Structures are given as structure tokens and as C-alpha cells.
Amino acid sequence: MSNVDFGNWFHAPVERHVDEGKTVKLFCFPYAGAGTSSYHAFCKALPDHITPFVARLPGREATRNQAPLTDIHAIIKQLTRAIRPGLGDEPIFFWGHSMGALVAFEVARLLGAELGPCQLIVSGHAAPHVPNPPRPIPVDEMDDARFVRLLESYNGMPQAILDNPDVLKLILPQLRADFMAMDCYRYVPGVQLECDILCINGESDRLVKHDQVLAWREETTGNFSCKWLPGSHFFINESRAALVRILAEAIEDKCVRPG
């Protein structure tokens, strides 16, 4: 794939002008329904030596004219192919939240130890090998009202949007597609990652149980650590400053003292 393909699938929300050789790249894999704009405040808050890129999936914001993908394994394959021209010589780190945690994990597995990240950072999702019980009603069979109630359970969308039929009509297709993609995920046992895994989660996230988070340690031969921050499933917004600090410290620690 070319650099054009990389630019189509990964977006740099902020520009960084620092000395060559002193930067690291942080690839962010968004939660269901999120476009790159959802990560602008986070990326802007990062230290200058961290260059962030956000995965840009079809069917939202600048890619709204493209059909959203409903197969998470197709998303993973596309992103793995697209990311290769953008890897470069700098240390790279992956961070995925919720649906993005699964995507980041699988992209890291496909890239392998040689090309994969120095560290995989995951949040808001159980370890991939933990069975996910099927929904009583599949997402593609839910009417809009029931699907909106499902979205409300994640506590991540402002009520003003949920109460606005015009906005919902615009964003529901991409949200449905991502939820369908998550539901089609099938874990396949394979070689463990060699990079470290850092889990960060909200203390009051009712969607992910403590033992399901700790199970991520089984996915790597490297070091494993877990941190908890105030907030629910979307603690990444509620505790953004603390999240930025933890990620920056983790990256700095890994680059100064490689494991």
C-alpha cells in the first residue's frame, strides 16, 4: 500500500514540529461510532514529542460518503495493510478504546513482533479471549428505539444528541455498523504478543468486569500492568488529563528503558 492509502485510513489531528529522531508515534484506534474529531482534544493535549494518528474508518465525518464496514476482521485487515507505510523508524505505540482495543490487538498480532508496537495500550474492553455473550436481539434486527437504549447504556453520548432525531438519523448507520462489527468478532488463539500490555479502565465502568480486564495478561509474554481512573466506560473523556499523563509516562518509560 502507498502513503496515500495510509493517509486515507489514518489521520493526524495535530501537527508536530520537533527534532527528527526524538519523536514516537501513537496510533489511536477509536471506539464504536467515533470519528477522528472525537480524539482532537486528546491528541492536542499530548506532549510535543508524541505524534498521534487516529484510525479513520469509512462511513463517518470525512468518509461519510463511503459505506461503513460491518465486519471487524475486514477492518483489521485493511488497517494492517494501510499502516505499514506509516510505521517508519520511530518507536510506535498502539492505544485502542472499547471496540478499538480489539482492533489494536489484532493489528498488533498481524504485524508481528518486528513491525508491531513497543507497547499495546487497551481500555474499555475485556480481554479478547473472554467469551462475549450474544445479545438477546442482534443489532441489525433492533429498531431505532431499542438501539438508542443500547447506546444509552454506554453513557458516552450526550443526551442532546440522543434526543435529536435529525442528528440520530445521521449517525445511527455508522454506529450500527460498528456494533455489528464488534458482534462478529471471533477470537482465534495464536502466538502471544511480545510487547508489553497496559490496561487503563474506568473505576465505575459497568461494561467491563475486573477479572475480564486482568485476563489481558494472558495475551503477551511481555510485561503487563493495569491502572484505574475515575469515570465510567468513557472515562477517556471524564479523566482525559490523567489518561494523557499515564500514556505519556508509559511511552517515556518504554523509550528511556526499553523492555
Side-chain angles (χ1 to χ4, degrees):
M1 272 202 169
S2 67
N3 288 326
V4 173
D5 295 308
F6 174 77
N8 287 338
W9 285 89
F10 290 92
H11 172 65
V14 295
E15 293 186 11
R16 294 288 193 241
H17 300 287
V18 294
D19 294 338
E20 186 177 353
K22 294 184 178 180
T23 63
V24 300
K25 291 179 178 178
L26 174 64
F27 290 92
C28 306
F29 297 84
Y31 51 90
T36 59
S37 66
S38 301
Y39 283 71
H40 186 268
F42 166 81
C43 292
K44 190 175 181 180
L46 289 169
D48 287 344
H49 66 281
I50 300 175
T51 302
F53 293 91
V54 182
R56 174 162 47 191
L57 301 184
R60 64 214 70 202
E61 297 179 350
T63 62
R64 195 174 299 281
N65 61 331
Q66 303 173 24
L69 298 175
T70 58
D71 184 340
I72 196 168
H73 300 285
I75 292 171
I76 291 160
K77 289 179 181 178
Q78 291 277 20
L79 288 174
T80 303
R81 292 178 61 202
I83 200 173
R84 291 176 182 269
L87 296 179
D89 297 325
E90 306 95 333
I92 65 168
F93 293 77
F94 285 3
W95 169 46
H97 181 67
S98 198
M99 169 184 165
L102 287 181
V103 175
F105 166 73
E106 291 292 355
V107 172
R109 284 217 292 183
L110 287 176
L111 288 175
E114 185 174 347
L115 294 177
C118 299
Q119 186 172 42
L120 171 64
I121 303 163
V122 291
S123 57
H125 205 285
H129 60 274
V130 175
N132 191 26
R135 302 185 194 279
I137 299 178
V139 168
D140 59 339
E141 296 179 13
M142 292 183 184
D143 59 25
D144 285 352
R146 190 180 185 102
F147 184 57
V148 168
R149 288 197 296 272
L150 173 62
L151 296 177
E152 288 176 325
S153 69
Y154 281 75
N155 295 320
M157 190 171 294
Q159 196 61 42
I161 292 180
L162 294 171
D163 292 339
N164 189 319
D166 293 331
V167 175
L168 280 179
K169 183 178 179 181
L170 190 65
I171 66 175
L172 282 184
Q174 72 197 49
L175 282 161
R176 277 187 184 274
D178 282 356
F179 272 76
M180 290 167 63
M182 282 193 292
D183 288 352
C184 83
Y185 176 76
R186 297 294 180 268
Y187 175 79
V188 177
V191 177
Q192 290 173 295
L193 295 175
E194 296 181 18
C195 65
D196 294 349
I197 294 181
L198 167 62
C199 290
I200 312 173
N201 290 276
E203 294 174 341
S204 56
D205 186 352
R206 296 175 298 172
L207 301 174
V208 186
K209 296 179 180 178
H210 192 270
D211 59 336
Q212 294 175 328
V213 170
L214 296 180
W216 276 99
R217 72 167 70 248
E218 300 173 30
E219 296 298 339
T220 184
T221 60
N223 295 322
F224 172 83
S225 56
C226 189
K227 296 181 182 293
W228 303 84
L229 290 175
S232 57
H233 189 66
F234 281 91
F235 76 94
I236 62 172
N237 298 322
E238 301 165 86
S239 297
R240 182 184 295 129
L243 173 65
V244 168
R245 184 176 65 254
I246 289 174
L247 264 66
E249 290 175 351
I251 289 172
E252 180 70 19
D253 184 66
K254 190 67 180 170
C255 290
V256 173
R257 296 187 289 104

